[in-house]
Amino acid sequence: SSSVTDSSSATDSSSVTDSSSATDSSSVTDSSSTTDSSSTADSSSTTDSSSTTDPGTATVTPPAVPETTTFTSTENAVRINWNKVDGAAGYRIYRFENGKWKTVKTLGKGDTTTYREGKLEAGKVYEYKIKAFVRDENGNAVWGSASDVFTTAADPVQPVLTKIGRAKTAVRLYWQDMECSGYKVQKYDESTGKWETVKLVSAGKTDYRISGLESGTNYKLRIRAFTRAGSEKSYSKWSAEAFASTK
């Protein structure tokens, strides 16, 4: 319940944005269904069964497990990145949905190390896995094991401050609820010229009272929403700055 101090400037360097597009015209044709049962196996034309080699073909060493590195996000998209797997002919991206691992995309280039999925819900957490594959002498796909689960999140929508309550030594901010893990409330310090974090407010709350202020004083305030994705956070844009004065 203690106050959290943030001496950062108005721009939060931990914000993750991704304005780039992502298309891969060289992807491997995947005629499988969009759902995958309890494992990340996929019975599509690029065969991905529990065995790493196809019956009747020469034995080929399966590729290494891809190592995911970072992700970037916007309100409706997530871009995941991974390290290149030596010898890989391509990769398959899976996302966990409704209790199953769903095939999102099969990429047919071994030097591709990034993928952007759009049309996602703002503020929601998304989990991914990646598999690499190589080709045997007959051109069949030989699959490696799936990566560890990679947790990401799309940015929450920009909060809107709807009302400000005033008292002699306090103000109360009100905002609309949204999909997120919480909110960061900040107050501008005129003496330092910096924004300071007053409080991290839990999700589900739509107001916060800033107390200990000087009476008859004007204050500049703002909030932003965030969604936790493992040890990382995806941030919304800052709300419009609100100006409030104590009585």
Side-chain angles (χ1 to χ4, degrees):
S1 60
S2 61
S3 173
V4 180
T5 301
D6 185 352
S7 59
S8 63
S9 63
T11 301
D12 192 328
S13 62
S14 61
S15 172
V16 282
T17 57
D18 180 9
S19 59
S20 60
S21 63
T23 57
D24 189 338
S25 59
S26 62
S27 61
V28 176
T29 301
D30 185 354
S31 59
S32 66
S33 63
T34 55
T35 58
D36 189 355
S37 58
S38 57
S39 71
T40 50
D42 193 313
S43 58
S44 67
S45 56
T46 43
T47 303
D48 178 6
S49 62
S50 58
S51 171
T52 55
T53 58
D54 293 324
T57 65
T59 300
V60 174
T61 301
V65 176
E67 180 183 353
T68 53
T69 54
T70 60
F71 78 92
T72 55
S73 56
T74 63
E75 286 185 9
N76 60 4
V78 165
R79 178 180 290 279
I80 58 176
N81 303 288
W82 60 91
N83 291 330
K84 183 179 182 298
V85 174
D86 290 342
Y91 305 90
R92 179 165 289 169
I93 316 300
Y94 302 87
R95 175 164 49 80
F96 195 71
E97 182 178 300
N98 299 323
K100 297 180 180 179
W101 287 102
K102 171 186 174 181
T103 297
V104 175
K105 186 72 173 179
T106 302
L107 305 172
K109 285 187 175 181
D111 57 357
T112 300
T113 58
T114 183
Y115 178 71
R116 180 182 187 271
E117 184 178 18
K119 298 182 180 180
L120 302 179
E121 294 182 32
K124 190 174 179 180
V125 174
Y126 293 92
E127 294 180 326
Y128 292 91
K129 284 185 178 183
I130 306 170
K131 280 186 178 182
F133 67 90
V134 295
R135 297 286 186 187
D136 65 14
E137 63 182 9
N138 297 317
N140 298 311
V142 178
W143 294 89
S145 298
S147 67
D148 292 336
V149 176
F150 190 37
T151 304
T152 71
D155 295 352
V157 298
Q158 183 180 24
V160 175
L161 292 171
T162 57
K163 186 173 65 173
I164 298 178
R166 299 188 303 141
K168 187 175 182 180
T169 59
V171 296
R172 184 181 292 274
L173 300 179
Y174 297 84
W175 58 86
Q176 297 173 335
D177 194 18
M178 65 188 67
E179 179 84 26
C180 67
S181 301
Y183 304 90
K184 179 182 285 190
V185 180
Q186 287 195 334
K187 175 173 65 71
Y188 189 73
D189 189 327
E190 296 288 350
S191 64
T192 63
K194 296 180 179 180
W195 287 94
E196 296 184 347
T197 297
V198 177
K199 183 71 175 179
L200 297 179
V201 181
S202 299
K205 304 220 37 142
T206 56
D207 68 280
Y208 180 70
R209 185 176 188 269
I210 305 174
S211 58
L213 305 178
E214 296 182 16
S215 61
T217 304
N218 295 320
Y219 291 94
K220 187 162 60 174
L221 309 162
R222 66 181 185 177
I223 68 169
R224 78 189 311 188
F226 63 88
T227 296
R228 290 189 178 90
S231 60
E232 303 295 328
K233 292 187 182 78
S234 290
Y235 285 93
S236 73
K237 297 177 182 177
W238 287 105
S239 68
E241 295 173 1
F243 297 87
S245 60
T246 51
K247 293 183 177 179

